[in-house]
Amino acid sequence: MASLTLKINNKTHTVDVDPKMPLLWAIRDVVGLTGTKYGCGIAQCGACTVHLGGTPVRSCSIPVSAAANKDIVTIEGLSTDNSHPVQQAWIAEQVPQCGYCQSGQIMAATALLKKTPNPTDKDIDTAMQGHICRCGTYPRIRKAIKAASQLMNQKASIK
Amino acid sequence: MKMKVNYFVTAAAIAATGFSLTAFQQKPKFDLKASITKGKEVYTAQCMNCHMEQGEGMEGVFPPLAKSDYLMADKKRSIQQVIHGVSGEIKVNGVTYNGDMPGVELTDEEVSDVLNYVRNSWGNKGDAVKPEEVKTAR
């Protein structure tokens, strides 16, 4: 066991855990943020995606010690009221079906839009390829990413 | 005598045809640059989540590909590892890693492309991995 500092969604948490514990365990079971989901456990499905230092990572496959003192953003950190453009687009396009993979999908989409504000279909497919949706909501995910891109561009032009 | 001459002429003609045919059938030179470009797409989709955009990996968790002694030491091993994955202890640039990388389902060409990309990016420089080499490695 070790005492580690986790900075999740701009809040500091001190956790006393095995340093080898997957970050996902710490986020869900220790800190209590259950928006991030456990899918495959081997970094293949994308359900557990969070941002670590601004980069999307698979929290199931990273030991908590590797995330200590770095900025972690989970789905709960995007906004407190679903007002993030990606969340807004997701609601408008009614993307989720069962919803299990969607936290990961949204985190990946947010990271994509930060890097590529106007993604093409190909950009979207490449960036989202590692995110599996058993309900097959892929066409709606793509549509929502485009809608979110527009929302973000509008917001930027108003500013 | 006449027969003999004809025989030689025919033989020479066949040989010449054979040579020119092999000359025509020779495959165009492998385009490493094009393969690297295609490989970047495969990398972005399949590898980047762990090995990161600049191949830096994550210290102690995911081994780096950038300037990696382990990667560049053995081309054949890399082909096997992309196809079948890696598990157990490995030492990369002096740091021991003990994780699991699942194999990736890719075509021979995609395996060659992605390896050409990582073997020729971020300070790495390696000779081309051709799809045929991947095929024989399977």
Side-chain angles (χ1 to χ4, degrees), chain B residues 9-107:
Chain B
V9 170
T10 321
I14 289 171
T17 323
F19 279 129
S20 64
L21 265 182
T22 44
F24 272 119
Q25 279 172 346
Q26 222 169 42
K27 279 191 182 161
K29 223 175 141 225
F30 185 75
D31 191 345
L32 180 60
K33 228 176 163 181
S35 175
I36 292 170
T37 310
K38 284 183 286 169
K40 190 177 180 183
E41 273 173 42
V42 180
Y43 184 83
T44 307
Q46 306 288 350
C47 321
M48 206 171 79
N49 270 302
C50 296
H51 289 292
M52 301 292 153
E53 200 173 353
Q54 297 301 317
E56 70 269 34
M58 197 179 279
E59 174 107 17
V61 187
F62 306 123
L65 300 171
K67 298 195 179 78
S68 159
D69 56 357
Y70 180 91
L71 169 77
M72 299 311 285
D74 192 338
K75 182 162 95 167
K76 275 197 182 141
R77 177 176 65 191
S78 302
I79 298 174
Q80 292 290 341
Q81 290 179 331
V82 171
I83 303 171
H84 301 297
V86 196
S87 67
E89 233 173 63
I90 61 169
K91 203 167 188 178
V92 183
N93 296 348
V95 181
T96 304
Y97 293 84
N98 192 352
D100 283 296
M101 175 180 118
V104 192
E105 248 178 68
L106 297 170
T107 64

Side-chain angles (χ1 to χ4, degrees), chain A residues 47-143:
Chain A
C48 67
T49 301
V50 300
H51 295 178
L52 182 62
T55 314
V57 296
R58 307 296 158 88
S59 62
C60 73
S61 299
I62 295 175
V64 61
S65 56
N69 304 314
K70 291 185 190 160
D71 280 321
I72 303 163
V73 180
T74 69
I75 185 77
E76 291 93 342
L78 286 188
S79 71
T80 49
D81 53 359
N82 294 338
S83 62
H84 189 285
V86 176
Q87 291 173 316
Q88 289 286 302
W90 241 250
I91 294 164
E93 300 295 343
Q94 300 193 24
V95 177
Q97 187 168 317
C98 89
Y100 198 82
C101 68
Q102 299 292 328
S103 309
Q105 303 277 7
I106 290 172
M107 295 315 280
T110 310
L112 164 69
L113 288 167
K114 217 194 282 170
K115 225 176 78 183
T116 316
N118 298 296
T120 62
D121 282 351
K122 205 176 165 201
D123 292 335
I124 294 173
D125 290 352
T126 308
M128 304 302 289
Q129 201 171 336
H131 293 263
I132 296 168
C133 172
R134 266 184 72 173
C135 306
T137 61
Y138 304 112
R140 295 206 293 271
I141 289 172
R142 197 198 257 178
K143 224 170 142 186

